[in-house]
Amino acid sequence: MKQAERGIISDYDFKKGSVRVGYTFMVLLIVLITITTLYPFFDTFFGSLKTREEFFSFPPTFFPKTWVWKIRNNVSGRRN
């Protein structure tokens, strides 16, 4: 067996339509799971950089319009 043919799916198997569709579905599922897992962490981090009014505004925004780094500095122990 050649080194290039070694892997989870060989070139021969990848030529089959059903394998290609299954592989594409698996990759899309992994990307979807990754996004849904990381979204709460990024939302919490960006939410901590918003002002109080912007945090509770409707409709909510993902990125802060005004970046408030002063709160992060106080939490980390640095004083102005």
Side-chain angles (χ1 to χ4, degrees):
M1 187 175 277
K2 297 177 189 175
Q3 186 66 21
E5 293 179 3
R6 297 183 60 110
I8 296 174
I9 300 175
S10 68
D11 291 336
Y12 175 75
D13 290 332
F14 201 67
K15 290 178 184 177
K16 297 177 185 176
S18 62
V19 173
R20 188 176 297 161
V21 169
Y23 183 77
T24 303
F25 177 73
M26 181 181 63
V27 169
L28 291 175
L29 184 65
I30 290 172
V31 168
L32 179 68
I33 290 171
T34 303
I35 290 170
T36 56
T37 303
L38 293 177
Y39 175 77
F41 295 105
F42 286 118
D43 190 42
T44 303
F45 175 73
F46 288 129
S48 71
L49 297 175
K50 295 178 183 179
T51 61
R52 179 181 298 263
E53 293 77 21
E54 187 178 358
F55 185 80
F56 290 110
S57 68
F58 186 82
T61 59
F62 186 71
F63 294 108
K65 294 177 184 167
T66 307
W67 296 76
V68 182
W69 291 100
K70 183 178 179 183
I71 298 169
R72 307 268 320 140
N73 290 341
N74 289 341
V75 169
S76 65
R78 290 183 264 166
R79 301 287 181 216
N80 292 338

